[in-house]
Amino acid sequence: VIMLVRNPIAGVAIRRQLREEYLESTGDVTIIFCDLTNMASVSKAADLIMKTYTRIDGLVCNAGIGSRSKYEQTIDGFESIIQTNCLAHALLTTILSCGLQLTNGVVINVSSHVSHATAPFDYDNPFFSEDDYNGYEAYCRSKFMVNIFTMQAGKRITSGVRFLAIYP
């Protein structure tokens, strides 16, 4: 199990809990730093995984940000909820797809029941600006984008990788 974490201290605590409760004799948990609000960090983490591991059986993209009251832009210039919930996962999946193809792996993208709650998708302004920002709409839009990415990746990466979008 490889966990990409924004906070290494919290990651160590979760790893300890996983080892105690679930993985005592079945495996280990590796922690790799990854900040989803920084695409360079996502690329670096994915590259490290590809260089370190010969196989990737599955990828669960679950990290995310809920609604925010004010507009926040990432270092990459995207609205933070959309980058964290969708764009960073798409980059991670794309980089890791070769490793997933070797094992006929599965990608599970966590969506939300509100993904369809968004107004008609604004293709001219998918990422918002400070002037027209709505945090709930950004969250809904990000989860809609997760669903679209999942369907498109399933069509384009056809070498045995399965793509699923789920919501708890």
Side-chain angles (χ1 to χ4, degrees):
V1 174
I2 304 165
M3 282 190 336
L4 301 183
V5 300
R6 179 186 65 216
N7 180 334
I9 294 170
V12 168
I14 292 168
R15 176 174 61 189
R16 186 178 312 113
Q17 182 181 359
L18 285 171
R19 282 180 174 161
E20 290 170 2
E21 294 182 23
Y22 303 106
L23 299 171
E24 289 178 9
S25 63
T26 59
D28 198 9
V29 179
T30 300
I31 294 173
I32 297 175
F33 174 77
C34 182
D35 179 357
L36 298 175
T37 65
N38 183 325
M39 295 299 213
S41 176
V42 175
S43 292
K44 184 176 178 182
D47 289 344
L48 178 60
I49 292 168
M50 290 301 294
K51 288 176 184 164
T52 307
Y53 298 94
T54 56
R55 61 181 294 135
I56 302 170
D57 295 311
L59 175 63
V60 178
C61 297
N62 184 42
I65 299 174
S67 179
R68 288 194 163 152
S69 60
K70 68 178 195 126
Y71 178 85
E72 291 183 32
Q73 191 174 63
T74 68
I75 191 169
D76 302 298
F78 296 108
E79 189 278 326
S80 62
I81 293 174
I82 291 174
Q83 179 168 329
T84 301
N85 294 3
C86 180
L87 302 177
H89 292 153
L91 176 61
L92 181 67
T93 301
T94 302
I95 295 171
L96 297 180
S97 65
C98 292
L100 288 157
Q101 288 174 10
L102 292 173
T103 62
N104 293 323
V106 63
V107 176
I108 300 171
N109 290 316
V110 178
S111 185
S112 171
H113 69 282
V114 301
S115 64
H116 65 282
T118 186
F121 194 83
D122 185 352
Y123 291 96
D124 295 324
N125 183 21
F127 304 115
F128 296 98
S129 65
E130 274 189 84
D131 299 331
D132 67 350
Y133 186 70
N134 177 312
Y136 178 72
E137 181 75 18
Y139 177 77
C140 294
R141 200 175 282 187
S142 75
K143 294 304 183 173
F144 176 77
M145 294 168 89
V146 164
N147 293 341
I148 297 299
F149 171 74
T150 303
M151 289 186 296
Q152 288 300 312
K155 289 179 182 177
R156 296 167 194 258
I157 302 173
T158 59
S159 300
V161 180
R162 291 160 302 183
F163 290 85
L164 305 169
I166 63 165
Y167 66 87

